[in-house]
Amino acid sequence: MSEEIYETACKHAHGRTNRQPHPADLLHVSLLLVDEFDKPPYELKPRIEAAVGSISARPLKVRLDGCDLYGGERHLALTGGGNSVDIQAFARMLHRALTKHNLPRQAFRLPSPHVTIIYGYGRRELLIVGKPYVWLASEFALV
């Protein structure tokens, strides 16, 4: 599916921006902003691994059926799934695990799942999503 999303982003970008779509192998669903760091927080790795290891959940249905601008309206992203009860419950579970392991985290907000497809897009013209992208997510990572 990542190849399909990438190809769609390439077609949309052609003639609209000189920015290249994010490569298919690096596409990921952003669910929850943990915190911002100036450099990788390697010292937190043991607590991050413990927090991630403490979570067990069944696969979640992800549905991306829209498009919007993120990051101060600089980045083009596929959107959707924010109203999924399962995704909201998983995000709460993740936030609790971060809290329990005393990891940096921002105040909990309802998730806004999205896949950024063009960073630094520089346009206001959104991609029209025809057929929704739908799959079961069975793994996650803190990035």
Side-chain angles (χ1 to χ4, degrees):
M1 182 160 309
S2 62
E3 286 292 335
E4 186 179 338
I5 292 172
Y6 175 74
E7 289 174 16
T8 299
C10 286
K11 288 176 187 170
H12 180 75
H14 186 73
R16 289 185 174 91
T17 180
N18 60 358
R19 301 297 301 207
Q20 293 299 309
H22 207 50
D25 62 325
L26 297 179
L27 290 175
H28 60 277
V29 176
S30 297
L31 182 66
L32 185 69
L33 179 60
V34 176
D35 211 341
E36 294 184 33
F37 301 93
D38 292 330
K39 59 183 180 162
Y42 296 115
E43 69 281 359
L44 297 177
K45 186 177 178 192
R47 285 191 282 153
I48 291 169
E49 289 173 344
V52 169
S54 73
I55 296 175
S56 178
R58 60 183 163 76
L60 301 172
K61 182 178 179 183
V62 178
R63 177 185 174 95
L64 300 174
D65 55 9
C67 188
D68 208 346
L69 299 170
Y70 277 74
E73 298 192 348
R74 294 185 319 264
H75 314 305
L76 186 67
L78 294 173
T79 61
N83 293 327
S84 166
V85 173
D86 291 341
I87 289 177
Q88 290 176 12
F90 179 75
R92 282 188 179 92
M93 184 187 313
L94 177 57
H95 195 267
R96 281 193 305 269
L98 295 172
T99 301
K100 178 180 176 185
H101 290 86
N102 197 28
L103 286 162
R105 69 232 168 259
Q106 294 189 349
F108 182 79
R109 295 185 329 197
L110 285 178
S112 178
H114 63 279
V115 173
T116 303
I117 54 175
I118 305 175
Y119 287 88
Y121 178 56
R123 304 279 301 202
R124 301 218 24 98
E125 189 175 349
L126 299 179
L127 169 73
I128 304 299
V129 179
K131 182 183 91 179
Y133 298 98
V134 182
W135 71 95
L136 286 177
S138 59
E139 61 185 14
F140 77 97
L142 295 179
V143 180

